[in-house]
Amino acid sequence: MRLIHFIPVMVITSIVYSQAMYVSDYNDYVGILASYDSLDSYDAENSVVVHTTTSISVAGSYIFNGTLELGIEYGKSDFKIKNDIGFENYMDGSEYSFEGGYHIKELLPVNIALRGFYKSMSFNSELLDESDSKLSEIGNGFGVEFYKSVLKDDTMELIPFVGIRKMTINSKFDDSNGDSIEVEGNSDTFTFGLGVKFNNFVLEASVKQIDGESEFSSTVGFIIPQKNILFKSNS
């Protein structure tokens, strides 16, 4: 039960990408990005960190007409828990994610992205191996993001953004006897950050408030016009 209690923070520590917000025209693009996330969980009574999560993710997306975005992500996470002498490895996880979104641009004072996603995560640890048990997690949900370009010239653009996301998480623990325990929970995330675009190169930093805990995320990526891929051989 200790494992099941720990998981609801895990699946949400990954990319929620929105590369289409860096596209100002209505052409097709390919987006490629990598992200690093760090989340510390605190004991509120003693104001100390009790466990920490770090994640590295890579993702790719296709942007249709500058507004419709479909993508896939793969991520690896390490979870550490505090003991008497410091932090020790608790478990690690691998995650696959499928996401999609539609961007409403130029109709309102700010642009809006409506997003949906599905995530699947599996976990590994010495404790799981020793007990011949399995731990997995599935999450799905939706979100909305608001963003606007505030500074733009020929080579650089600044885009601040805020977002809200709601997720349902189903955690499943299978033991060596074939018995299963399933726990379902909900999670809310509020995100704010700043994106900087240099030509087709993107840098992004954000802070996420996840059920009262703060996660820092940094992302680098590229947006590549489709014609650069499809017509390169004809140029």
Side-chain angles (χ1 to χ4, degrees), residues 88-106:
E88 63 176 341
N89 288 330
Y90 184 51
M91 65 171 63
D92 60 75
S94 300
E95 175 188 322
Y96 292 93
S97 174
F98 302 92
E99 306 195 17
Y102 183 77
H103 292 246
I104 303 171
K105 301 180 178 182
E106 300 179 348

Side-chain angles (χ1 to χ4, degrees), residues 5-6 8-10 12-13 38-44 48-53 187-192 207-216:
H5 178 72
F6 183 64
V9 300
M10 293 183 179
I12 53 180
T13 56
S38 177
L39 172 68
D40 291 331
S41 296
Y42 287 85
D43 179 341
V48 296
V49 177
V50 291
H51 56 77
T52 182
T53 304
S187 180
D188 297 329
T189 303
F190 174 75
T191 303
F192 62 93
V207 175
K208 303 171 187 175
Q209 289 290 322
I210 305 172
D211 299 328
E213 297 179 337
S214 296
E215 175 185 271
F216 174 76

Side-chain angles (χ1 to χ4, degrees), residues 119-185:
K119 300 174 181 288
S120 176
M121 195 168 196
S122 59
F123 302 94
N124 299 291
S125 73
E126 291 184 6
L127 181 59
L128 290 172
D129 293 340
E130 291 172 357
S131 61
D132 194 23
S133 302
K134 295 181 180 179
L135 186 61
S136 61
E137 192 171 75
I138 292 175
N140 61 79
F142 63 92
V144 58
E145 294 174 340
F146 304 91
Y147 61 94
K148 183 178 178 62
S149 175
V150 295
L151 178 63
K152 184 177 181 180
D153 60 26
D154 293 338
T155 60
M156 187 185 73
E157 185 174 9
L158 296 181
I159 303 177
F161 58 89
V162 297
I164 301 171
R165 178 173 53 165
K166 299 186 72 68
M167 174 178 275
T168 299
I169 305 169
N170 183 273
S171 306
K172 185 178 181 182
F173 177 75
D174 298 305
D175 64 22
S176 58
N177 297 320
D179 296 325
S180 297
I181 300 174
E182 292 192 37
V183 176
E184 184 174 291

